């Protein structure tokens, strides 16, 4: 599903760039960076800067990040430990599924 969502987001970003639109396009769909997108000569890549303590500065800097910081964000804002532990378990399961898909060449639909 994430791959499909990334392709939709990529097509939207291409269309915006092709039409000369200005604005911000934020996503946690990191697979978008694997796509051969067109018309991106006007696109600048930015990410939220972190300070030395690995805390958000709420300032943009040049670059791309592939770390959504979902777990540290959830922890910071008080998600219960049992939910965090379960999320870690599910993350491990998904990683194993992704490894199997990569090994046999299957795609998300």
């Amino acid at each position: 599903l994430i791959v499909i969502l990334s392709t939709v987001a990529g097509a939207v970003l291409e269309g915006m760039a092709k039409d000369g639109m200005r604005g911000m396009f934020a996503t946690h769909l990191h697979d978008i960076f694997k796509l051969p997108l067109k018309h991106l000569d006007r696109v600048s890549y930015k990410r939220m800067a972190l300070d030395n303590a690995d805390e958000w500065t709420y300032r943009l800097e040049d670059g791309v990040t592939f770390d959504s910081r979902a777990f540290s964000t959830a922890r910071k804002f008080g998600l219960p430990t049992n939910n965090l532990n379960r999320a870690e378990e599910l993350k491990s399961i998904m990683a194993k599924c992704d490894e199997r898909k990569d090994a046999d060449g299957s795609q998300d639909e």
Side-chain angles (χ1 to χ4, degrees):
L1 181 60
I2 297 299
V3 172
I4 299 302
L5 293 172
S6 295
T7 60
V8 171
V12 169
L13 180 58
E14 273 187 343
M16 291 170 64
K18 182 180 178 186
D19 293 342
M21 295 177 72
R22 296 180 62 113
M24 295 185 73
F25 185 94
T27 183
H28 283 262
L29 298 170
H30 301 140
D31 284 341
I32 196 171
F33 297 107
K34 298 176 185 176
L35 300 173
L37 300 179
K38 302 174 185 176
H39 313 292
L40 299 187
D41 53 310
R42 298 184 58 226
V43 173
S44 299
Y45 295 96
K46 304 288 183 181
R47 63 183 177 213
M48 186 180 304
L50 300 173
D51 64 17
N52 291 336
D54 214 25
E55 293 291 327
W56 305 297
T57 64
Y58 299 97
R59 294 185 183 155
L60 294 179
E61 65 181 11
D62 290 336
V64 174
T65 186
F66 293 99
D67 180 2
S68 69
R69 302 181 51 80
F71 286 96
S72 61
T73 301
R75 203 171 287 109
K76 179 177 181 170
F77 290 102
L79 193 70
T81 302
N82 62 320
N83 295 132
L84 289 165
N85 292 341
R86 180 62 177 150
E88 288 284 0
E89 290 174 16
L90 293 171
K91 179 182 172 186
S92 295
I93 291 167
M94 286 189 71
K96 289 176 186 171
C97 289
D98 288 344
E99 288 172 11
R100 275 188 249 130
K101 284 182 197 171
D102 289 343
D104 70 13
S106 61
Q107 294 286 328
D108 288 344
E109 259 321 301

